[in-house]
């Protein structure tokens, strides 16, 4: 697999099925062109909407455009890792950890415990 930095824009858009063989926009490409973000993230969001899993997809998309939401205090690296493992629900995905953290934070917020949640999960 070639890293994205070495793929030309038309190649990337072909890979995403946003361009046809004549380099015309496909229906997907038309929608991606109207979104104010990179095409990979745009396709992920559109697919998330199609498959009715938009909440975790929005969390993942936001995490890809910003720094890691977890604070890792010096000397507490093991505690942070334990919290991430707990949030992972057995998955091996950092993206799903963040999606789960956002979901649980929203739940804590509705009960007035968002500050405690952030403190407990770094």
């Amino acid at each position: 697999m070639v890293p994205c930095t070495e793929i030309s824009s038309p190649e990337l858009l072909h890979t995403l099925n946003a361009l046809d063989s004549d380099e015309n926009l496909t229906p997907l490409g038309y929608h991606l062109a109207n979104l104010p973000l990179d095409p990979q993230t745009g396709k992920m969001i559109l697919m998330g909407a199609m498959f009715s899993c938009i909440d975790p997809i929005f969390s993942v998309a936001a995490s890809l455009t910003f720094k890691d939401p977890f604070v890792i205090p010096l000397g507490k690296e093991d505690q942070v890792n334990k919290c991430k493992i707990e949030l992972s629900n057995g998955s091996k995905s950092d993206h799903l950890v963040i999606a789960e953290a956002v979901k649980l934070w929203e739940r804590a917020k509705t009960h007035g415990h968002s500050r405690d949640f952030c403190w407990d999960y770094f």
Side-chain angles (χ1 to χ4, degrees):
M1 183 169 187
V2 179
C4 286
T5 56
E6 296 179 21
I7 296 177
S8 69
S9 296
E11 286 176 297
L12 174 62
L13 294 173
H14 279 289
T15 301
L16 294 173
N17 295 320
L19 288 180
D20 63 19
S21 58
D22 296 324
E23 295 194 357
N24 296 312
L25 286 175
T26 63
L28 173 62
Y30 174 79
H31 290 290
L32 293 176
N34 287 302
L35 294 174
L37 39 94
D38 65 272
Q40 297 100 316
T41 305
K43 184 173 180 179
M44 180 177 64
I45 289 172
L46 291 174
M47 291 295 152
M50 287 175 56
F51 291 106
S52 299
C53 59
I54 201 68
D55 285 340
I57 294 298
F58 277 157
S59 297
V60 170
S63 73
L64 291 172
T65 60
F66 200 68
K67 63 182 183 164
D68 187 1
F70 293 95
V71 175
I72 305 173
L74 194 59
K76 295 196 176 194
E77 295 87 353
D78 289 341
Q79 285 178 272
V80 173
N81 285 334
K82 286 178 185 175
C83 288
K84 287 181 176 183
I85 289 169
E86 181 182 333
L87 291 169
S88 75
N89 291 326
S91 77
K92 304 288 186 209
S93 169
D94 291 339
H95 300 305
L96 293 179
V97 167
I98 292 169
E100 183 68 11
V102 170
K103 181 177 87 174
L104 293 177
W105 173 79
E106 287 174 339
R107 188 176 301 153
K109 185 178 175 189
T110 63
H111 294 97
H113 303 292
S114 62
R115 187 179 191 101
D116 294 334
F117 176 84
C118 290
W119 184 260
D120 293 343
Y121 286 91
F122 299 92

